[in-house]
Amino acid sequence: MVAIEGLGRLLAEHPFFTDMQPDTREIVVGCCANAHYRPGEFLFKEGGKADHFYLIRQGTVGVEVHVPGRPGVVVETIGEGDIIGWSWLVPPYTWSFDARAMDQVRAITIDGACLRTKLEANHELGYELYKRFIPIMGRRIAEARLRIVELTTEPSRD
Amino acid sequence: MDSNDNSNGTRHTVRRLDRNGLDALTAALQADGRMVIGPRVRDGAIVYDPLDGAGDLPWGLIDEQDGGRYRLVPGPDNAAFAHVVGPQSWKKYLYPARQTLWRGRRDGPRFSVEVPAEPTPRTAFIGVRACELAAMAVQDRVFGVRAHSGQSVGQQQYTDTGYAARRAAAFIVAVNCSRAGGTCFCASMGTGPKAESGYDIVLTELSDGGESVFVAEGGSEAGWALLDRLDAVPAGDGDIRAAERVVDATRAHMGRAMVPGVNRLLAENLEHPQWDAVASRCLSCANCTMVCPTCFCTTVEDTTDLTGEHVERWRRWDSCFTVDFSYIHGGSIRQGGASRYRQWMTHKLSHWHDQFGTSGCTGCGRCITWCPVGIDITEEARAIHDDCHRTDDAGTGRGG
Amino acid sequence: MDGALLPRPAPADDPMVPRTFRIERRVAEVDGCFTLTLKATDGRPFAFQPGQFNMLYVFGVGEVAISVSGDCRDLNTLTHTIREVGTVTRAMARLRPGDVIGVRGPFGRPWPIEEAYGNDILFVTGTVGLAPLRPLIFEVLNRREHFGKVVICYGSRGTHDILYEKQLHQWRGRFDLQVHVTVHSAPSGYRGRVGSVANLVKIARFDPEHTTAYVCRSETMTRPAVQALHDRGITSDRIYVTLERNMKCGVGFCGHCQMGPSFMCKDGPVYRYDTIEDIFTVREL
């Protein structure tokens, strides 16, 4: 078991939280835990209850889609310094994809169910968190759209 | 060479030719082994074809020209050069519409290539107008014959040797225009109506009240030498002053004018709504590019005989008005008529300056006359010009 | 051997007439791509600079503009990697060692190299865009001591569409080179990156103040690539891009490859981005 002070320091070091006011960040620390995933291990699965999000400290996580009868398809990888998971923010709080460790992954898991209650009570905290999530969501949507463009305009002979 | 002084310091004599003198001039050029080419009537238009003598010139005819309109009608005088320019230009001879680049022959897995060695015909062009001399000077830069100060890597790295040879083999008898056509705007382009350089001989036709006489001046040693051989009388001071008045009068009666500053104007208005407006009238027929004396775009064609053993690679005139012109795998860059018209007009009037240090337009007016729907390049430029100036006055300048 | 001493291509006697080259080797690359290794039938050397292209001719079929993708220090071998997209390239794909093709060139302005001396170097490319960039990568590695960090960011469709995969592995094995590869999708269990090339630019390590970037992508993907470089603080005057237009002559006589004031065949295909920034987003230019 890692001490709360240790988690607070890890949180402060992660790019996602680094510029947040310490007292605001302190509210989040209470919902945090350390986690380690071995290669191939799932962080979460499509359709599962989305009650967490993950700050990746080390290693790479693949966002995957399950394909019956074939290996899953990795559609994006998320690495050190990034975050994964926003379904905990949007009802019905269900994962849309699988997330799986591609190598040894160290992460901080943040209990979304715990945090949702705090956000309802503390809109200041909610605003601070949305300010951090929305640019990442926007960037990933834009990149996904560009990848569709790329696959359309730079075809290989399939 | 524009000087009247030859290398020995003796002064050349400006001559006065009558109709027989003009005949003697063409005969002398033929005797020199040249094919003499000049204006003559064919199919209701004045074209540039081989002449047997001065008698083949379109005596007594003038051309009425306006947007999309061309008619030959009798003129007030029995003049040889009272017409202006027709549907053809000298590029027909200097850069023919179809040229063989090379021939190839298959030999097992290999093939060999040979360039046809055809002698360059010695020619004399008679009746070359100031705007056409300007057009030759423009194409000289395009085909790497003449140095230029364009920014486009400074100079052409290569010279089109065929063009250079045909250009060098042409003796040029220019004519100062004694009349401006309805679509002429050379004065506003700074290219005419007076021939300033680039000729061997220049003629000015004086035709008031009776038979024409021609004031003839050399522009090169070869030109002066030929004039000296013609046994023509010297021109009087009165003739020379009359010749100047002819050009001045022509300059004062230009059918059209290009707005000033068109180079920057177009470069700054690549997304102006006028491009859509003109595209709604333009048929993309490519006439303007075919009649333009400076348009140089070409494509290549590969032909194979029935055995598949012999191939030829041809170069032929092409036009930026076709959709295929800008085709790259996947599709054409310039899909719309607006972008194709914009390409032609901005190239001609604006981007040409960047590429070759000169305008690509000489104000000859052919593109206006031969446009089937009468699109007028000077009016299109004016529309953008007037719109920009109106918006400026209103204080809401068009962005970018 | 210093770069300044590299043999410069001599202007051909007649740039419109091809020399004949014999196919020595044909290698199937990723699906739809192949590499031809050529020798001049007249035995004369062929000099080019990275970024230049040739007009390749298939007997009786036609001609097509293709960038050189070999090593500019090997004057006796001409290498082209070609993607089958049209009539001529499909005909070329059917040729075999011993067959002869026509070559005119080299044409076009090369990637500048000396201008980047002292800088970190960033290559941004995807799919077959690595082929025109490869001579430059070779040359930068030949002159490795003149540069700081050297980074390759490469993206392809899937794990089987990585062009020059062996070469990339070999480069990744060097201590003085960062090689980042990403694919659009991969089977579960793949250990590499999945995502956009822009993301690679985000994670690459270089000094934005002193980096020269070379982008070789389709025109559509060049725009977001340049945006990603701007986001990292690389200014337009240190970004080189390459563009593509219809080409018939290669020497500025035929007019087909114009984009605004420029003839892509002789003023391009490589451009410093700030010199075309104003017209790059004008549509159908």
Side-chain angles (χ1 to χ4, degrees):
Chain A
M1 193 70 195
V2 177
I4 294 292
E5 303 90 84
L7 270 174
R9 184 171 50 77
L10 291 180
L11 210 58
E13 280 168 2
H14 196 278
F16 188 76
F17 279 110
T18 189
D19 62 345
M20 191 181 264
Q21 291 300 321
D23 49 340
T24 315
R25 196 165 52 220
E26 208 50 44
I27 305 171
V28 181
V29 175
C31 303
C32 282
N34 242 316
H36 172 239
Y37 300 91
R38 285 181 301 278
E41 195 176 338
F42 285 95
L43 281 70
F44 53 80
K45 278 188 180 170
E46 180 185 344
K49 229 168 126 56
D51 275 343
H52 287 86
F53 72 101
Y54 305 80
L55 308 183
I56 311 300
R57 292 176 47 223
Q58 193 189 317
T60 306
V61 177
V63 179
E64 285 188 26
V65 181
H66 173 70
V67 184
R70 280 175 49 183
V73 177
V74 183
V75 293
E76 187 163 5
T77 49
I78 292 182
E80 189 179 317
D82 220 336
I83 68 148
I84 181 166
W86 62 70
S87 294
W88 66 276
L89 272 171
V90 189
Y93 312 120
T94 307
W95 295 119
S96 308
F97 293 94
D98 295 351
R100 206 170 180 187
M102 298 178 79
D103 44 23
Q104 299 286 346
V105 170
R106 293 184 189 282
I108 299 168
T109 65
I110 297 169
D111 184 339
C114 152
L115 206 50
R116 282 200 296 265
T117 322
K118 292 186 178 177
L119 299 189
E120 281 302 337
N122 184 345
H123 285 190
E124 174 88 34
L125 173 63
Y127 179 68
E128 284 298 318
L129 224 55
Y130 272 79
K131 263 206 314 196
R132 284 163 177 74
F133 264 101
I134 285 170
I136 293 171
M137 295 159 79
R139 194 188 75 211
R140 289 187 190 165
I141 289 167
E143 273 172 16
R145 285 174 176 166
L146 276 173
R147 285 165 62 191
I148 294 170
V149 172
E150 184 170 1
L151 289 167
T152 312
T153 59
E154 294 184 350
S156 70
R157 203 186 50 171
D158 277 346
Chain B
M1 242 179 283
D2 296 322
S3 161
N4 281 16
D5 295 305
N6 72 9
S7 50
N8 299 326
T10 54
R11 204 156 168 80
H12 288 301
T13 311
V14 179
R15 303 285 172 171
R16 182 183 209 267
L17 310 181
D18 56 12
R19 185 165 169 162
N20 290 333
L22 199 57
D23 237 347
L25 174 64
T26 54
L29 289 164
Q30 282 157 345
D32 196 23
R34 296 182 182 275
M35 175 168 63
V36 175
I37 302 161
R40 66 188 298 177
V41 177
R42 177 156 57 86
D43 301 332
I46 291 172
V47 298
Y48 295 142
D49 267 359
L51 305 179
D52 291 329
D56 289 338
L57 292 167
W59 296 93
L61 289 177
I62 61 167
D63 41 12
E64 287 180 354
Q65 301 198 32
D66 201 349
R69 189 187 145 79
Y70 180 97
R71 294 284 182 284
L72 289 182
V73 296
D77 304 304
N78 189 29
F81 299 109
H83 62 280
V84 289
V85 293
Q88 297 182 342
S89 69
W90 299 100
K91 79 175 180 187
K92 172 187 171 188
Y93 293 100
L94 295 173
Y95 203 67
R98 287 179 66 82
Q99 303 161 39
T100 316
L101 289 171
W102 50 265
R103 301 193 174 96
R105 201 159 54 89
R106 189 195 290 279
D107 178 17
R110 295 160 173 260
F111 62 91
S112 57
V113 171
E114 71 173 37
V115 180
E118 284 147 17
T120 305
R122 298 185 76 222
T123 52
F125 298 161
I126 292 202
V128 179
R129 308 307 175 114
C131 60
E132 300 183 305
L133 293 171
M136 289 179 198
V138 167
Q139 287 212 324
D140 287 353
R141 296 176 186 218
V142 170
F143 295 121
V145 175
R146 184 187 294 233
H148 65 75
S149 58
Q151 294 158 9
S152 182
V153 200
Q155 308 294 325
Q156 290 285 40
Q157 190 187 1
Y158 295 96
T159 299
D160 187 286
T161 49
Y163 174 88
R166 290 183 290 271
R167 185 81 167 87
F171 184 97
I172 290 175
V173 180
V175 169
N176 286 321
C177 288
S178 53
R179 182 179 144 262
T183 55
C184 289
F185 58 103
C186 64
S188 60
M189 297 309 295
T191 55
K194 184 172 170 33
E196 301 286 356
S197 65
Y199 53 80
D200 294 291
I201 291 174
V202 62
L203 306 174
T204 309
E205 186 170 21
L206 308 177
S207 58
D208 3 72
E211 285 303 306
S212 289
V213 294
F214 303 88
V215 176
E217 203 176 331
S220 69
E221 279 307 314
W224 283 118
L226 182 59
L227 284 179
D228 289 345
R229 290 211 304 276
L230 290 182
D231 194 26
V233 297
D237 287 349
D239 292 332
I240 292 170
R241 277 199 300 277
E244 282 166 7
R245 281 198 302 276
V246 162
V247 178
D248 288 344
T250 306
R251 184 176 285 114
H253 290 92
M254 283 287 137
R256 302 276 202 280
M258 181 57 73
V259 292
V262 68
N263 173 3
R264 282 201 52 200
L265 177 74
L266 297 188
E268 289 167 0
N269 283 284
L270 294 174
E271 293 179 308
H272 194 280
Q274 186 64 23
W275 301 120
D276 288 320
V278 67
S280 70
R281 286 171 281 137
C282 175
L283 308 177
S284 282
C285 72
N287 265 17
C288 49
T289 53
M290 294 295 110
V291 297
C292 177
T294 65
C295 270
F296 59 86
C297 287
T298 52
T299 188
V300 285
E301 277 175 3
D302 294 285
T303 61
T304 312
D305 71 358
L306 287 173
T307 67
E309 300 297 300
H310 299 87
V311 299
E312 287 188 342
R313 175 155 263 243
W314 286 79
R315 171 159 66 187
R316 63 163 179 81
W317 290 356
D318 199 1
S319 172
C320 54
F321 277 92
T322 69
V323 176
D324 273 357
F325 187 84
S326 60
Y327 182 85
I328 53 173
H329 56 88
S332 289
I333 301 283
R334 295 182 204 108
Q335 298 275 345
S339 63
R340 297 200 294 276
Y341 191 88
R342 177 182 65 187
Q343 166 60 25
W344 177 69
M345 187 164 154
T346 55
H347 184 216
K348 194 82 13 190
L349 291 168
S350 178
H351 293 144
W352 212 295
H353 286 275
D354 304 308
Q355 296 171 346
F356 303 112
T358 176
S359 173
C361 176
T362 66
C364 74
R366 285 181 179 90
C367 58
I368 306 171
T369 300
W370 297 97
C371 175
V373 295
I375 293 172
D376 180 341
I377 191 172
T378 65
E379 280 307 313
E380 295 309 316
R382 193 180 313 281
I384 295 176
H385 175 271
D386 291 353
D387 180 52
C388 291
H389 286 247
R390 191 175 53 241
T391 10
D392 285 352
D393 293 345
T396 53
R398 193 175 296 282
Chain C
M1 180 166 163
D2 191 76
L5 299 175
L6 272 182
R8 300 279 156 167
D13 307 332
D14 185 340
M16 296 306 289
V17 179
R19 287 171 67 189
T20 53
F21 279 65
R22 194 179 49 255
I23 298 171
E24 294 287 304
R25 222 156 66 90
R26 181 192 188 280
V27 176
E29 304 280 1
V30 297
D31 203 14
C33 288
F34 56 98
T35 296
L36 298 182
T37 309
L38 306 163
K39 297 265 189 221
T41 56
D42 61 11
R44 273 160 50 208
F46 182 92
F48 76 99
Q49 295 178 73
Q52 290 194 297
F53 67 93
N54 282 323
M55 298 298 295
L56 302 185
Y57 169 78
V58 179
F59 188 83
V61 180
E63 230 181 17
V64 65
I66 307 276
S67 293
V68 187
S69 43
D71 183 350
C72 66
R73 299 202 177 202
D74 180 357
L75 300 179
N76 295 310
T77 310
L78 176 59
T79 304
H80 282 282
T81 295
I82 298 149
R83 183 161 61 131
E84 288 178 62
V85 287
T87 318
V88 180
T89 48
R90 273 194 286 274
M92 211 170 278
R94 291 195 295 270
L95 299 180
R96 289 294 177 266
D99 289 339
V100 168
I101 66 168
V103 176
R104 295 194 294 123
F107 300 125
R109 278 212 253 192
W111 302 99
I113 300 175
E114 284 85 353
E115 283 84 339
Y117 276 9
N119 278 2
D120 289 351
I121 300 294
L122 181 60
F123 299 106
V124 182
T125 182
T127 64
V128 292
L130 185 57
L133 210 48
R134 188 167 69 164
L136 177 66
I137 297 173
F138 283 149
E139 199 45 32
V140 162
L141 295 178
N142 278 333
R143 308 188 209 176
R144 186 65 188 84
E145 69 278 13
H146 289 291
F147 306 102
K149 294 187 177 70
V150 177
V151 188
I152 298 172
C153 295
Y154 174 78
S156 79
R157 170 179 281 239
T159 53
H160 298 295
D161 301 302
I162 299 170
L163 188 71
Y164 304 147
E165 192 174 359
K166 274 185 193 159
Q167 180 92 67
L168 282 164
H169 277 294
Q170 195 188 325
W171 282 334
R172 177 127 59 179
R174 290 176 62 131
F175 294 131
D176 58 356
L177 195 52
Q178 293 175 53
V179 178
H180 300 294
V181 173
T182 186
V183 295
H184 283 300
S185 66
S188 184
Y190 178 67
R191 303 295 284 263
R193 262 173 213 289
V194 181
S196 70
V197 177
N199 243 335
L200 298 183
V201 172
K202 209 163 295 154
I203 57 152
R205 289 186 307 278
F206 53 83
D207 173 6
E209 301 269 301
H210 302 282
T211 293
T212 302
Y214 300 95
V215 180
C216 189
R217 308 220 62 188
S218 70
E219 191 167 321
T220 311
M221 295 315 294
T222 295
R223 295 196 299 269
V226 167
Q227 187 55 52
L229 295 168
H230 283 167
D231 290 346
R232 284 290 309 265
I234 303 181
T235 50
S236 297
D237 59 330
R238 285 181 287 112
I239 299 173
Y240 293 91
V241 301
T242 177
L243 297 175
E244 192 181 6
R245 285 290 184 275
N246 183 327
M247 293 193 193
K248 296 290 184 200
C249 74
V251 292
F253 289 160
C254 81
H256 280 261
C257 66
Q258 290 178 79
M259 186 184 71
S262 135
F263 286 98
M264 216 158 273
C265 66
K266 66 191 187 77
D267 306 333
V270 172
Y271 293 91
R272 204 175 75 187
Y273 189 68
D274 61 333
T275 66
I276 54 161
E277 202 161 9
D278 289 347
I279 57 170
F280 192 58
T281 51
V282 177
R283 294 179 185 188
E284 297 194 26
L285 189 61

